[in-house]
Amino acid sequence: MTFREQGTLVTLLVMLVVYGWYFFDLLDVVATVPVAEIAYQPRLLVMIGVLVALMVIGQTGIAILHAVTARRGMDSADASDEDVQDDGDERDRMIEMRGDAFSGYIVALGAMAAMFQLMADWEPFWAAHTLLAGLVLSEIAKSVRMLILYRRGF
């Protein structure tokens, strides 16, 4: 598994765990409290903090693992920062581009749904979470698409 593929997998797993926890927790609250009374902003801030922390930890762990394994296979004189930190090759850029193109449609659908909710005078709670769901689904779809492209051999 390549360095970028590992990063994509970690991103996908972190998103599934954090957003899954957030939305399932939110469903419990919505079932018991009127939507107009839910203070969702603090929940969003906690979720964003947890997401960022887990992403940083996961990506740092992958980078350290990659650096250690890359240096094990070479002399220390041959190891350079270029070997550990690359910008990706053409294949990586094309996979990223295809993942972005695929996920753009999902973001657009989420934004349009939120716009219609606001025009229909729904609570802002619903529009905020529709936008969030659109972003989450687009990033999950992007990661899955990229992993499929990496596995198929673009």
Side-chain angles (χ1 to χ4, degrees), residues 65-80 83-84:
L65 180 65
H66 181 69
V68 167
T69 56
R71 291 189 189 272
R72 249 189 235 153
M74 324 174 206
D75 287 330
S76 59
D78 293 336
S80 68
D83 296 324
V84 176

Side-chain angles (χ1 to χ4, degrees), residues 45-62:
L45 290 175
V46 169
M47 183 265 307
I48 290 168
V50 169
L51 180 70
V52 169
L54 287 176
M55 287 287 199
V56 168
I57 291 167
Q59 297 297 338
T60 302
I62 288 173

